[in-house]
Amino acid sequence: MRLASLVAGLLWCVPAIAEQGEAVPRWPAALMSGETRLAAYSLLREAPAGSAPLARKFADRMGLRHEAGQPPVKAYDRLSLRPIFDHDRNVNGGLPGDGFELGGLRFEVDEEARARSGVWLGAGIAAGRGYSIAPGRTVSFEADLSHAWSPATDRPRSRAGVESCLGTYLGEWSWIDLCTGARASYREDLFSEGHVSASYTKLVSFAGADHAVELGLEDVMRDDHDRGFVSLAVTSAVPGLGALRSNIRVGERVEGHHGTLWDVSIGLTRKVAGRTASVNAGLREAGGDTVFDIPREDLAARIGASLQIDPRFTVGVGYEHVDSSLDVYDDAGVTFSVGFTGWSR
């Protein structure tokens, strides 16, 4: 049976299946997850009343209704503009600590070289377009650009990024995604990097929930070194609880270059008093560099929470504690965030 016919049949059955239902449905949590594939999977399996148009939209975005021999079809098109109001504990790129000890001697960090807290004010624009190019095959293009200014330092910050991905449906609710992209930023110096990645995603149901399991490989390329990563992420639509996401990411140690060695995190998104709320926690270790022939190893623990005040406005708070092998890199503090969805079409 052709893929498009299978999806069409599932969509046709929506009203009939909806009458049966479940005591606690999974699809609301799947929608909150932000994962299109997981949302489509839960909607098509549970088929709540009135969900057929949204399920068709998701199916089109994933190329599941594309007919063999049909020319490429635009699956989505987006353009958004948002204001930037970001709190940063280190707007000047300084050292977190006020000094360090070496060989029994105490060295003080100059006041101007210490980290300063402040905010970034500016605006960002993002655009994306996706196409269904064959049955179960999609291609997407994404780009973003932002510029901000910090009153604390009277200095600007600019960022830009592009990415393109090819998605292929393998059958049995599984996909392979291949992506490539590049990012650049400028604060006091120009920084740029490129990346290529491959990932395998499988949608499954067990333990009373729907899950998207993703295994990924990524290579990040900079002018002076490359770094490889392997990751495992599980996003779960848990009925009565919300969207639960856990992630493990392991990075390659590159001698002479400080970077992520491993990162584990878990987060939950759910409705609280009718508003979308999220909580998250994580632990990260970074290393690879030496300072005065002393290996630098940083262990950072973080927690955070956010609440959607209205569909366009979200506030958040977080706390991070960094314990470093070098005292000058020890750090701890609270970060506040104000998120604006912005204007989109």
Side-chain angles (χ1 to χ4, degrees):
M1 182 182 294
R2 290 178 303 178
L3 181 61
S5 299
L6 175 61
V7 174
L10 287 170
L11 292 170
W12 181 81
C13 292
V14 163
I17 301 175
E19 295 177 0
Q20 301 175 17
E22 285 189 83
V24 183
R26 307 172 187 180
W27 62 267
L31 289 176
M32 282 189 291
S33 74
E35 297 281 347
T36 298
R37 291 166 179 170
L38 182 60
Y41 178 76
S42 295
L43 279 175
L44 287 172
R45 286 171 58 85
E46 297 186 329
S51 66
L54 183 57
R56 280 194 293 268
K57 179 180 178 180
F58 287 154
D60 288 339
R61 186 162 183 162
M62 297 183 293
L64 299 184
R65 298 205 305 159
H66 199 109
E67 298 282 358
Q70 184 181 6
V73 177
K74 185 169 67 175
Y76 72 90
D77 198 4
R78 69 178 183 88
L79 177 65
S80 63
L81 176 67
R82 68 178 183 90
I84 293 174
F85 184 85
D86 295 338
H87 176 252
D88 190 342
R89 298 204 321 270
N90 193 350
V91 292
N92 61 331
L95 294 171
D98 57 6
F100 60 96
E101 291 187 3
L102 182 64
L105 299 177
R106 174 73 180 179
F107 295 86
E108 296 294 328
V109 176
D110 185 83
E111 186 70 28
E112 290 299 315
R114 297 179 187 177
R116 297 173 60 187
S117 178
V119 298
W120 293 101
L121 306 174
I125 186 171
R129 175 168 289 186
Y131 292 91
S132 170
I133 58 175
R137 183 164 294 179
T138 60
V139 63
S140 64
F141 306 93
E142 305 284 340
D144 64 85
L145 177 66
S146 67
H147 184 76
W149 167 77
S150 172
T153 61
D154 195 24
R155 293 176 180 174
R157 180 195 72 185
S158 298
R159 294 175 176 174
V162 293
E163 184 178 61
S164 179
C165 293
L166 174 67
T168 301
Y169 181 64
L170 304 178
E172 300 297 326
W173 292 103
S174 61
W175 284 262
I176 287 286
D177 293 290
L178 303 174
C179 299
T180 184
R183 298 203 64 83
S185 63
Y186 179 82
R187 189 153 69 177
E188 293 182 357
D189 298 302
L190 180 64
F191 167 82
S192 64
E193 67 179 24
H195 74 269
V196 293
S197 65
S199 62
Y200 170 77
T201 302
K202 174 70 174 178
L203 301 180
V204 293
S205 297
F206 61 85
D210 294 339
H211 312 271
V213 182
E214 179 181 333
L215 177 64
L217 297 172
E218 183 181 23
D219 187 34
V220 178
M221 300 159 288
R222 298 181 181 176
D223 290 339
D224 53 357
H225 72 283
D226 294 355
R227 190 185 302 271
F229 293 90
V230 59
S231 62
L232 175 64
V234 180
T235 304
S236 304
V238 184
L241 179 64
L244 183 67
R245 181 175 178 83
S246 55
N247 184 75
I248 302 174
R249 191 168 188 246
V250 179
E252 177 185 6
R253 178 184 287 271
V254 181
E255 296 301 330
H257 299 281
H258 193 69
T260 298
L261 301 180
W262 55 264
D263 190 319
V264 296
S265 62
I266 188 169
L268 173 67
T269 300
R270 60 169 297 151
K271 291 291 186 181
V272 176
R275 294 187 171 96
T276 301
S278 297
V279 292
N280 61 83
L283 192 64
R284 170 181 176 266
E285 184 178 22
D289 198 7
T290 59
V291 180
F292 299 116
D293 293 327
I294 301 175
R296 177 187 171 189
E297 301 282 342
D298 298 345
L299 183 64
R302 63 189 184 275
I303 58 173
S306 65
L307 179 66
Q308 186 184 57
I309 304 303
D310 64 43
R312 293 188 181 274
F313 183 57
T314 302
V315 295
V317 61
Y319 176 81
E320 183 178 48
H321 181 274
V322 181
D323 185 13
S324 177
S325 59
L326 297 171
D327 292 346
V328 73
Y329 292 105
D330 285 346
D331 191 20
V334 176
T335 299
F336 301 95
S337 64
V338 178
F340 299 92
T341 303
W343 299 269
S344 61
R345 67 166 183 84

